[in-house]
Amino acid sequence: MSLSLTLAADPVQHVINHKFIVSENGYWIWSAIQTNMVLVSAVMIFVGLFVAKSVATGDEGQGHGRWVTNNRFAHMIEVICDYLRENTVRPMIGERTNAMMPFLWTIFFFILANNLLGLIPIIDLHNILAGTMAPEMLAQHKAFIGGTATQSIWVTGALGLIAAVVINLAGVKELGLAGYLKHLTAGAPIFVWPIIIPIEILGTVIKPAALTIRLFANMTAGHILVAVLIGFVATGFTNDNPLLGFPIGVASSLGVIAIYFLELFIAFLQAYVFMFLTTVFISLLSHHDDHDHETSHEIAEAFLA
Amino acid sequence: MNRFASFTVFAALAFVSTASSVAVAAAEANPIAKPNEGFAAGVTALVLFTIVCAILSVAVWPKIVKGLDERNEKIKGEIAAAEDARKQAKEALNEYEKNLADARAQAQQMLEETKATQNELAAQLKSKAETELNEMREKAKADIESAKKQALDELYSQSVNLATVMAGKILQREVSVNDEQRLMEESLAELKTVNS
């Protein structure tokens, strides 16, 4: 219960990253979310290999069964992949879909896996264990694993940077370097270029920055809300006046459950939004006679607004 | 340096300076983005994502893409085959219905022809029967007439003979053949006169 009371005192402390190895000059060499990301990467690779094996078409000797994905989990991943490819990406970037899908699928599942891992209270279990086995770790706010990687703006920034590189490289590949640079003029008359070009260049930074901040802010806000509500639960049930504290505790418990399910939804939603907007930004850097180009502009403006 | 190269250099410099300024400003403005605490995590994310993306792009996504594409092709093929089968079934049904209608029409026609033939045959039979009946009737009439005539002739002949015999007995003389012939012709003439 003391842990819960700590949460109630400062919920932000619960959701921020925890250091594990710190250099002499104060730089965090290794922190809890880095272990999370290593775990997520390993899981993605192993699960990916398993899913690939399950989704791949079987031998001809299996008859019609060769077309069936045998594992339900693999089938779920297959459905998600198919939906993202055919219903989200292909309508926007058309023929470039197959080339871009490996990156887009990876970024979607990387963010999703990190979001979902963040919903597992590993840091709390870690703190409970550390409290009994290594109290000095708890005292120094150190943790080997736990937290939410996508709650760190450095992590989301790295993902945004990768997205920016891919978006612009895809633009250069599609339009050619000259076409890409011409795109920065937005087709405006030459005397407007001194205004338009800096705005367009800012746009190339703002777009991935928007991806970065959106993911970071959504994950952080949701986790802080859950931590605050858990704090209410703790303070409610430990209140000296049970007539006052008990209803608060019960209501907060129900609120935590509800918000937790919302967080589960947001974990999927934010992964999807990141991937979706990356696709939109990729589609913006295409030939202006493309059918869906104007639609992509409208979507991008709506999300950036 | 031509105009395009100048523009490229200008744009690249503008991009780098703007991006750097925004990144530094964002890091300084946001107390959560402390470089000493998050930089290693960011680099780790960068490296891990690159590794994961590379491995998945080589070992996982191509297989999934192949599986999805083959399944899509299979489903499209099955749908096309089902469409063909449906089309063929529809054509077969149409042909069957057409054949059925033809058969019904043919049966009806055959029935009508049979009826007509039957009616014609019946009419012919009736006509033939009537003809035969008429012929038989006529023949019977003729036979009756003939028999009647023959009977009358015999009756007259016998009557003449009888009358001749009686006349001979009455006259006590023998009536000659010529007398007898004459009497008979006279009697016949009288009889014919009476009968007519």
Side-chain angles (χ1 to χ4, degrees), chain A residues 28 34 55 57 69 85 106, chain B residues 3 36 44 61 69-71:
Chain A
W28 292 14
Q34 285 167 272
V55 171
T57 309
T69 305
R85 187 174 73 154
T106 307
Chain B
R3 185 179 160 192
N36 65 320
T44 307
W61 301 132
D69 287 344
E70 286 177 350
R71 215 153 294 179

Side-chain angles (χ1 to χ4, degrees), chain B residues 27-185:
Chain B
E28 287 178 352
N30 193 335
I32 299 170
K34 294 174 186 170
N36 65 320
E37 294 181 6
F39 185 76
V43 172
T44 307
L46 208 62
V47 171
L48 284 175
F49 180 83
T50 307
I51 292 169
V52 171
C53 192
I55 292 173
L56 296 186
S57 296
V58 171
V60 174
W61 301 132
K63 289 181 183 174
I64 291 180
V65 166
K66 189 168 177 281
L68 289 174
D69 287 344
E70 286 177 350
R71 215 153 294 179
N72 280 345
E73 289 303 315
K74 170 75 174 169
I75 291 167
K76 282 179 186 172
E78 294 289 334
I79 290 171
E83 280 291 324
D84 285 346
R86 194 181 67 82
K87 195 176 173 185
Q88 285 176 3
K90 194 177 178 184
E91 285 173 0
L93 181 66
N94 289 341
E95 192 177 345
Y96 164 76
E97 286 177 347
K98 184 175 173 294
N99 289 342
L100 190 65
D102 289 347
R104 279 182 179 154
Q106 200 173 352
Q108 187 67 28
Q109 189 182 354
M110 285 171 70
L111 194 65
E112 286 172 1
E113 284 176 3
T114 307
K115 275 185 182 174
T117 307
Q118 194 180 7
N119 289 339
E120 190 180 349
L121 190 63
Q124 284 177 359
L125 287 173
K126 188 180 175 185
S127 171
K128 190 179 175 186
E130 282 178 354
T131 307
E132 285 178 356
L133 195 63
N134 286 335
E135 285 175 356
M136 285 172 69
R137 190 183 293 139
E138 292 300 320
K139 190 181 175 187
K141 278 184 180 174
D143 288 345
I144 291 167
E145 285 296 324
S146 175
K148 184 181 173 184
K149 188 182 176 189
Q150 191 177 355
L152 282 174
D153 287 346
E154 282 182 7
L155 182 63
Y156 293 151
S157 177
Q158 290 296 328
S159 300
V160 167
N161 287 337
L162 185 61
T164 303
V165 171
M166 286 176 68
K169 282 180 179 178
I170 295 168
L171 295 174
Q172 291 297 322
R173 72 169 182 102
E174 193 171 316
V175 178
S176 66
V177 175
N178 290 333
D179 293 336
E180 188 178 332
Q181 185 65 34
R182 187 176 49 85
L183 280 171
M184 191 175 73
E185 286 175 355

